[in-house]
Amino acid sequence: MLSRWSGRDTQTLSAVAMSALLLASAGKHFEDPGFFGPVVPDFLCRDDSGEQSNGPLAVLSREEWVAVSGLLEAGAAVGLLVPATRRAAAGCVTVMFTLFIAGHLGALRRAYSPDGTPGQRRIHSLRLPLQAPLIAWAWSLTKPVPRKPARP
């Protein structure tokens, strides 16, 4: 028996699933910001202690970056639910997940440093490879879905 699901239906379901994932992640950014803090690259984090100079990209504190990325994820989740903005939102999510690789690499490097813990090693060893399927999934939502031909 052939499925009655069209490519558009499948893409909509996929977009809803990714939106739910992003909304859950966005909520966790505010519920448990410490989980995301290690993934923010140091060169992006402003140091207000005066102990070190801030680079040109260090415009927000680590906590502010976590909050901003949570807001971006929530906005992207909403964009994925609206058919008119889905492709653009999916492109932004693809870029966002790709940029997160730098943070995951840094967190993994710190986890395997002498100060890293077995728990940090475990979690960051899992988080980095998850980026590849997330990037592929987001990218798949950027593709236009052909319309079904009208039935005679």
Side-chain angles (χ1 to χ4, degrees):
M1 181 171 135
L2 294 176
S3 171
R4 292 182 182 217
W5 282 68
S6 69
R8 186 168 307 285
D9 293 336
T10 302
Q11 188 183 62
T12 298
L13 180 62
S14 181
V16 168
M18 178 165 277
S19 180
L21 177 80
L22 287 168
L23 285 173
S25 177
K28 189 165 176 69
H29 276 74
F30 298 99
E31 180 184 307
D32 184 12
F35 181 76
F36 296 95
V39 180
V40 181
D42 292 336
F43 69 88
L44 290 178
C45 299
R46 185 183 68 233
D47 179 12
D48 294 331
S49 70
E51 293 179 22
Q52 61 185 18
S53 62
N54 292 311
L57 298 177
V59 295
L60 299 175
S61 69
R62 187 172 307 279
E63 295 77 18
E64 291 166 335
W65 277 115
V66 169
V68 166
S69 64
L71 290 173
L72 288 172
E73 286 186 3
V78 171
L80 289 171
L81 294 175
V82 179
T85 59
R86 181 170 299 146
R87 289 179 63 200
C92 291
V93 172
T94 301
V95 170
M96 181 176 66
F97 285 152
T98 302
L99 291 174
F100 287 172
I101 290 173
H104 287 293
L105 285 169
L108 187 63
R109 181 184 46 79
R110 285 189 299 280
Y112 279 91
S113 73
D115 295 331
T117 66
Q120 291 169 334
R121 291 181 186 110
R122 202 171 22 259
I123 192 71
H124 294 298
S125 293
L126 292 172
R127 286 173 85 176
L128 177 62
L130 280 176
Q131 291 309 110
L134 289 172
I135 291 166
W137 184 11
W139 180 251
S140 75
L141 294 172
T142 66
K143 306 294 183 211
V145 177
R147 293 196 179 270
K148 282 172 60 172
R151 290 188 177 180

